[in-house]
Amino acid sequence: MDKYEQTLESTYIYQGKILSLRKDQVQLPNGKTSVREIVEHAGAVSIVPVTEEGNIILVKQYRKPVEQETIEIPAGKLDQGERPEDCAQRELREEIGFSGDLDLKFSYYTTPGFSDELLYLYVARNLKHAPLACDDDELIEKLEVSLEEAMHMITQGEIVDAKTIIGILTLKQEGHL
Amino acid sequence: MDKYEQTLESTYIYQGKILSLRKDQVQLPNGKTSVREIVEHAGAVSIVPVTEEGNIILVKQYRKPVEQETIEIPAGKLDQGERPEDCAQRELREEIGFSGDLDLKFSYYTTPGFSDELLYLYVARNLKHAPLACDDDELIEKLEVSLEEAMHMITQGEIVDAKTIIGILTLKQEGHL
């Protein structure tokens, strides 16, 4: 079954700092036309930092879009031309002050229905102190929890961020994935 | 640590069919100002449909933002004022032709860094045939896989959609979550 949607016209509505928005008029395989609203994003990395004791280091920061502090695994946007692994080391140092051995688990699209953002998931072990200056705009607090506590925080609604849920569940399943 | 970001000015750049885009100028707790680009979304539901045999029903559809067919759990946007559970039953019927007993696992933000989209995750069991007409713009193909196959498809890069990864890993962990 061919489901390809041909672009008839593509218009940029906004080109910004972390995202751009375009509107595509498409032709569906059945001949009808439709409109797709698409958020372009440079892609990002996320990292589950695991301590020697098997705990996870999480960060707490204010997220304006949802007007709340969220508890997340360290993560950040790819700079132009930056390799995902370099970005992961940079974010680990900026956000929690560590470097580590990175294991790429997989990559995925955060919201393929309206955005092209691709997110890489790493697990970091053998953590070593290696602080870097934070971004000026990022106010970040660290916390360390056990894997079981992290699982509980998902069901209790204390962790509500998709990439963090994926990171925690992936670590929990590590032998099986 | 207070991390609240006060809105100094908020401007809509686009108000569309499935999303809107606004730009907020904010004041950070340290007194500096910054800009936040925010995608507004009405929220959505996602459902892991589990057959009597313990298999998962997935759907394959073309996703313009990533220019590929993706394999996903059934999902869809909330209509205005629609209850998440009603939306979940509607999407189950539209996308795979079943109704079922719904179990809400949790809800989460898909991309709190740039969007307010909240996504509810249900598991549906005791599936019964109850087809509804599809949306005209949705061309959907069904497939049924075992939980182990679904896990394998994540690591093989055949499943690359965040909500589907969360749905599958949550089902796998069901006794523990």
Side-chain angles (χ1 to χ4, degrees), chain B residues 112-142:
Chain B
F114 69 84
S115 155
D116 66 355
E117 187 192 17
L118 181 68
L119 190 55
Y120 294 82
L121 172 64
Y122 293 91
V123 170
R125 288 193 163 88
N126 300 318
L127 303 176
K128 286 175 190 66
H129 273 283
L132 260 190
C134 302
D135 278 357
D136 261 3
D137 293 2
E138 289 189 81
L139 286 173
I140 288 176
E141 188 183 346
K142 277 197 286 184

Side-chain angles (χ1 to χ4, degrees), chain A:
Chain A
M1 182 156 55
D2 184 22
K3 305 182 203 69
Y4 176 69
E5 298 180 355
Q6 196 196 338
T7 308
L8 301 175
E9 206 188 324
S10 188
T11 314
Y12 276 93
I13 289 159
Y14 176 76
Q15 293 185 275
K17 199 174 67 161
I18 66 152
L19 56 85
S20 297
L21 176 63
R22 66 170 218 266
K23 210 167 157 174
D24 284 2
Q25 214 204 339
V26 298
Q27 179 155 36
L28 308 179
N30 64 10
K32 294 189 183 186
T33 59
S34 190
V35 170
R36 303 294 182 218
E37 296 160 339
I38 297 167
V39 173
E40 294 183 0
H41 187 286
V45 304
S46 63
I47 312 108
V48 187
V50 182
T51 67
E52 253 180 82
E53 298 78 27
N55 290 338
I56 304 172
I57 303 176
L58 298 168
V59 294
K60 205 169 178 178
Q61 68 197 108
Y62 196 79
R63 291 299 198 176
K64 188 67 185 170
V66 297
E67 294 286 11
Q68 62 180 253
E69 283 183 20
T70 57
I71 296 171
E72 306 183 13
I73 54 175
K77 202 173 70 70
L78 285 163
D79 285 340
Q80 209 186 347
E82 190 179 28
R83 293 188 327 153
E85 191 165 321
D86 294 339
C87 181
Q89 290 290 9
R90 180 173 58 75
E91 291 292 344
L92 264 186
R93 297 180 66 185
E94 281 177 7
E95 297 201 345
I96 63 166
F98 285 102
S99 66
D101 296 341
L102 296 177
D103 178 15
L104 175 63
K105 306 311 283 187
F106 48 81
S107 60
Y108 60 92
Y109 292 107
T110 55
T111 48
F114 69 84
S115 155
D116 67 355
E117 187 192 18
L118 182 68
L119 190 55
Y120 295 82
L121 173 64
Y122 293 90
V123 170
R125 288 194 164 90
N126 299 318
L127 303 176
K128 286 174 191 67
H129 273 283
L132 259 191
C134 300
D135 278 357
D136 260 5
D137 292 4
E138 289 189 80
L139 286 173
I140 289 176
E141 189 182 346
K142 277 197 286 184
L143 61 162
E144 187 178 323
V145 300
S146 71
L147 182 51
E148 293 313 314
E149 281 169 315
M151 296 281 290
H152 189 66
M153 289 166 84
I154 297 172
T155 50
Q156 293 306 301
E158 290 166 52
I159 287 176
V160 293
D161 167 52
K163 69 177 169 302
T164 305
I165 296 172
I166 290 180
I168 291 165
L169 292 178
T170 297
L171 186 67
K172 178 78 183 169
Q173 280 302 319
E174 220 179 6
H176 309 274
L177 268 174

Side-chain angles (χ1 to χ4, degrees), chain B residues 81-97:
Chain B
E82 190 178 28
R83 293 187 327 151
E85 190 166 321
D86 295 338
C87 181
Q89 289 291 9
R90 179 173 58 73
E91 291 292 344
L92 263 185
R93 295 180 66 185
E94 282 177 7
E95 296 201 344
I96 64 166

